[in-house]
Amino acid sequence: MEVGFLGLGIMGKAMAANLLRHGFRVTVWNRTLSKCQELVALGATVGETPAAVVAKCRYTIAMLSDPIAALSVVFDKNGVLEQIGNGKGYVDMSTVDAATSSKISEAVKQKGGAFLEAPVSGSKKPAEDGQLVILAAGDKALYDDMVPAFDILGKKSFFLGEIGNGAKMKLVVNMIMGSMMNALSEGLSLADNSGLSPQTLLDVLDLGAIANPMFKLKGPSMLKGSYNPAFPLKHQQKDMRLALSLGDENAVSMPVAAASNEAFKKARSLELGDLDFSAVYEVLKGGGSSQA
Amino acid sequence: MAAAAATHLSVRAAPALRLRGKGTCRLLSCYASSSPPPPSSGEGFSGKVGFLGLGIMGAPMASNLIKAGCDVTVWNRTKSKCDPLLSLGAKYESSPANVALSCDVTFAMLADPESAVEVACGANGAAQGMAPGKGYVDVSTVDTATSKLIGKHITSTGASFLEAPVSGSKKPAEDGLLIFLTAGDDSLYNRVAPLLDVMGKSRFFLGDVGNGAAMKLVVNMVMGSMMVSFSEGVLLSEKVGLDPNTLVEVISQGAISAPMFSLKGPSMVKAAYPTAFPLKHQQKDLRLALALAESVSQSIPTVAAANELYKVAKSLGLADQDFSAVIEALKAKEQNPQP
């Protein structure tokens, strides 16, 4: 199968590489073209622009960092819209709000193309290992066509119905995740400031009802002050913001999500935005002092 | 900021072989070959065990001790709650003091700091039956000051004291899979280790009195906050037209998959909250955690926000429901809420 791939950041690079390693023919594009070279070494061809990629490929996947980038790749000069049309499919795996996804969907369909939103749950390592969870919605026939690619990229795919449902599901999951990271950070900070061993707290948490892979994976590196970005904090905060907007639109009460978002904003103001989202611990950690 | 020295032991919850002896509780447990046997294996616990407080947690814990062959004497404020234990072979005494007097080690599992203090230090309280050579193990969840107060009353009689709050609710209690977070007298800890291994799957010794209490509060505050985040997600997913059961399934596939979500998610979606951990106790734990945080000036914003919702849930008459009922606090308030 041949696919186009737009966007070779933390996620896109790993995903494109995975497809290449499993025998897919892949034509790549990235805003900073030099990033394509690593994929070329794995057998990819390069498209000079998103339009060039779409012209060449029947199916094109996009993995961009935020709504602005996702829209730009579609609507700007030399964008996807210039070449999308009948018989072609566009699959946006970026995490965006439902309105952005709808806008892209309408524009693609108007040109005769098929559109699928398919944001993923999972960060760098699951992307490398093909263990993503794919939350697709939109054109069912396009979804069916993409299953061979999804089977390589992920461990499980969901088809959630109409456009917007994939985007919303992703935002809800990431909202819970962001709040959980704050709860963990608060726990580790309080343990530390109360004369307890934060590592012991991690050990206890790992034995009980709230044990989860994220705490297990990130807890130890948080205690070492190590925040290599698997999922950049600025993107997590973007997701919290989008989830809160969704809550606003529907008058859903979300006080813990709101409190979590505040901590992520504070972290960004402290220039921690490019670190892993677990760096929010640095914000909570600072807020205490040992008992005399 | 010295980290408390912690020793930790994980044991398999394998069936214990019971060899009955007079007044002796001999426990031989089977372990996977990869795990080293704990120091107490083969020795067992000799002596009579008291158990004060037979609520949601106390009853199955005491029952597990009896089934393992221990000589158990019980007391409960509402006497009728003792009957199931008596029919399993437990003895009964009419006050905490009399239980303590007749036993070598006495456990207490009470609902909150007030009852823990009352049972230990009040009129006819356990302290009055304590003496050198005896031990008191308080497995209630209380604040550090209460634990230290109880500890002082107990040790002033010459007896030893161990605080030992547990992580785990009704089912882990029934299945003998609790996690003990102990602190205080380490000789008493070693002495009762075989009993903890009957009731639990794992035990930690965390140093001075107060450390066990604090650790339990920190664990439960993370849990209380997580339950509210999950509730926000379930409600938001419903409101925007997603199937909340699909949300639960998606979560179970990813990095934030936790037993609590898979276990409670489906019933929360159906607005059912069978009580494994009463909401009023979760809110009590958050209140105590916030006080602990205040004592060291530690900011814990999501816990503070979560606490507000548990308070709202209590005002809606949900105090005795499972703590997952906090989701109701996020919904639009009803005029005549169902208790």
Side-chain angles (χ1 to χ4, degrees), chain A residues 3-9 12-13 16 26-37 39-40 44-54 57 60-65 68-74 76-80 90 94:
Chain A
V3 297
F5 208 107
L6 313 177
L8 302 174
K13 178 172 128 176
V26 185
T27 302
V28 298
W29 169 87
N30 193 62
R31 192 175 51 184
T32 311
L33 271 175
S34 57
K35 284 243 189 114
C36 298
Q37 288 317 306
L39 282 311
V40 167
T45 42
V46 179
E48 297 275 304
T49 64
V53 172
V54 172
C57 304
T60 299
I61 295 172
M63 190 48 139
L64 288 327
S65 53
I68 294 175
L71 289 167
S72 154
V73 151
V74 170
D76 287 358
K77 187 167 188 299
N78 298 318
V80 167
Y90 185 59
S94 319

Side-chain angles (χ1 to χ4, degrees), chain B residues 3 16 79 89 91 118 156 247 264 301 304 330 333:
Chain B
K79 184 177 187 280
K91 303 201 212 20
E118 176 69 26
S156 67
L247 172 66
K264 296 193 187 276
L330 289 163
K333 267 201 206 181

Side-chain angles (χ1 to χ4, degrees), chain A residues 133 135 155-156 158 160 165 168-169 172-173 175-177 179-180 182-184 186-197 200-201 203-205 207-215 243 246-247 250-257 259-260 284-285 287-291, chain B residues 1-4 6 8 10 179 181 201-202 204 206 211 214-215 218-219 221-223 225-226 228-230 232-233 235-237 239-240 242-243 246-247 249-251 253-261 289 292-293 295-303 305-306 309 330:
Chain A
V133 177
L135 307 169
K155 63 171 170 174
K156 195 155 163 94
F158 292 81
L160 299 168
N165 285 354
K168 291 171 188 172
M169 183 65 83
V172 174
V173 171
M175 173 192 92
I176 298 173
M177 181 167 83
S179 290
M180 280 171 64
N182 271 273
L184 177 66
E186 290 171 11
L188 290 172
S189 304
L190 181 55
D192 207 16
N193 281 319
S194 305
L196 302 173
S197 156
T200 303
L201 173 63
D203 294 339
V204 175
L205 290 175
L207 288 167
I210 53 176
N212 62 89
M214 178 176 84
F215 283 5
L246 199 51
N250 293 279
V252 178
S253 180
M254 294 159 46
V256 169
S260 302
L284 274 320
K285 195 159 92 163
S289 58
S290 300
Q291 256 173 328
Chain B
M1 229 172 49
H8 163 220
S10 254
I179 302 162
L181 306 170
K201 66 173 177 179
S202 205
F204 293 76
L206 301 170
N211 287 349
M215 183 63 82
V218 175
V219 169
M221 89 181 200
V222 176
M223 182 168 80
S225 172
M226 275 173 64
V228 174
S229 307
F230 181 64
E232 290 174 357
L235 277 180
L236 181 58
S237 68
K239 265 294 181 85
V240 300
L242 300 172
D243 179 354
T246 306
L247 172 66
E249 199 193 338
V250 169
I251 287 174
Q253 292 288 329
I256 56 170
S257 172
M260 179 174 84
F261 296 156
L292 176 64
S295 73
V296 292
S297 301
Q298 175 63 49
S299 173
I300 50 174
T302 70
V303 172
L309 289 165
L330 289 163

